[in-house]
Amino acid sequence: MNGMEQLAEKVGLLMKAETELQSGKCQVKKKRTLEIRASKSCFICKLDMDISFRHLKEDGIALNEAEIYLLPEEFPVFAENFWNHPIPLPTNYSQKMKTNPNLVCIRMESKEPPEHFAERLEAVLEVLEGLGHQVYLN
């Protein structure tokens, strides 16, 4: 097993998800099911989380990317726990956010060891799971 395969396995264990290696990129296979309420309607959406890392360097640093969809009420909890995690954010971290009345999409990118990114992200997802909203991690 080479370094990328070992790292993919480690990240998969940290995130409790399957991983797939393809062309030098590791894709983490994780889903969220959200219950979205809009007016008098209720929608159940199963969304793939787009989480990956690539361009692994000898020092263990890689380009990590994630696109996560949250309910608006989850965002403050997500932000607080993500930014204040014991593993500090690297200096090469960027985030973009798009919102609508029912969903928040956060696109994150960092250059750091993938296991740090995965550990921080999984910890926050576990906090969200405990909020009691109709959110399911698959």
Side-chain angles (χ1 to χ4, degrees):
M1 197 181 300
N2 69 30
M4 185 73 157
E5 290 169 337
Q6 289 176 332
L7 190 52
E9 187 175 308
K10 184 175 184 179
V11 166
L13 289 171
L14 285 169
M15 297 210 65
K16 302 174 189 113
E18 292 182 25
T19 57
E20 181 179 294
L21 287 172
Q22 193 171 45
S23 302
K25 181 178 182 177
C26 176
Q27 187 74 38
V28 178
K29 305 285 188 175
K30 196 164 178 102
K31 299 177 188 285
R32 287 186 92 209
T33 302
L34 300 174
E35 184 177 295
I36 300 169
R37 297 189 180 275
S39 299
K40 295 180 182 181
S41 300
C42 180
F43 304 94
I44 305 294
C45 300
K46 191 171 199 170
L47 303 169
D48 289 323
M49 287 191 249
D50 188 10
I51 304 166
S52 65
F53 66 89
R54 58 192 161 106
H55 302 306
L56 181 63
K57 299 192 181 221
E58 286 185 29
D59 62 1
I61 304 292
L63 175 62
N64 302 277
E65 298 173 310
E67 187 172 278
I68 308 295
Y69 288 89
L70 306 169
L71 298 172
E73 59 269 24
E74 293 177 313
F75 177 72
V77 175
F78 178 91
E80 173 74 19
N81 286 278
F82 192 77
W83 296 323
N84 292 318
H85 189 271
I87 298 174
L89 289 170
T91 55
N92 280 333
Y93 174 79
S94 67
Q95 174 181 303
K96 295 178 185 172
M97 185 171 77
K98 291 183 183 178
T99 63
N100 71 38
N102 302 308
L103 277 178
V104 175
C105 175
I106 301 174
R107 175 127 178 87
M108 299 171 278
E109 190 174 285
S110 71
K111 290 184 180 174
E112 64 182 312
E115 59 270 35
H116 291 184
F117 187 76
E119 187 175 327
R120 188 183 311 107
L121 187 54
E122 182 61 24
V124 174
L125 292 172
E126 286 177 6
V127 169
L128 293 179
E129 193 175 354
L131 287 179
H133 298 122
Q134 294 295 340
V135 178
Y136 314 95
L137 292 176
N138 308 29

